Amino acid sequence: MKEQNLNICQVSLSGNIPIIKENYREFIRFYKNVNFFVICPKKQIKQFRQKLKLDNLFIINEDKILNFNKFKKISLKYLKKKSYINLIKPRLSWYYQQVLKISFLIDFVNKNKKNMIIWDADTLILSKINFF
């Protein structure tokens, strides 16, 4: 039986590049067919490409999914009448990251009919996991 590709999505900033490299090495050690999709800010794409010259690693401009300013505008329009707006505003970038992950996942699965794993860019894999 042919082993299925393992597709992994991460949303990251350039500060996590060393962890992404280490995870890449460990994932390909534990699994045969791995594809990495790293979503990052447009202004950091060049840095990601220079430091992550790895097979089956695809760098995606987050603006192609949803621009942060557009997300912020939509969010604040919805939240302006909510009592908890001041609690959420400082965490908008975290919510934005979650929307990027989920949006990419839904689009990928719908187009490719393949599974996708969302993996936090600051989390290391320590052993093989049976995901599916």
Side-chain angles (χ1 to χ4, degrees), residues 52-123:
L52 295 173
K53 295 179 181 179
L54 305 167
D55 293 335
N56 298 330
L57 187 135
F58 308 93
I59 298 167
I60 300 158
N61 176 353
E62 66 185 25
D63 288 346
K64 300 282 183 177
I65 299 169
L66 176 63
N67 176 279
F68 178 72
N69 290 327
K70 186 173 182 178
F71 170 78
K72 185 176 178 180
K73 183 178 177 182
I74 293 166
S75 299
L76 294 178
K77 181 179 177 182
Y78 170 76
L79 293 168
K80 71 181 175 184
K81 295 181 183 176
K82 304 297 178 190
S83 61
Y84 48 82
I85 186 172
N86 290 328
L87 296 171
I88 290 181
K89 276 170 69 172
R91 298 204 24 94
L92 273 181
S93 60
W94 182 85
Y95 286 101
Y96 175 61
Q97 185 183 75
Q98 306 319 303
V99 168
L100 288 173
K101 290 176 193 176
I102 293 167
S103 298
F104 182 78
L105 174 113
I106 291 169
D107 187 57
F108 182 89
V109 171
N110 282 337
K111 285 181 180 173
N112 300 291
K113 308 297 184 228
K114 294 182 181 176
N115 293 325
M116 171 70 67
I117 296 165
I118 297 175
W119 191 268
D120 282 344
D122 62 353
T123 303

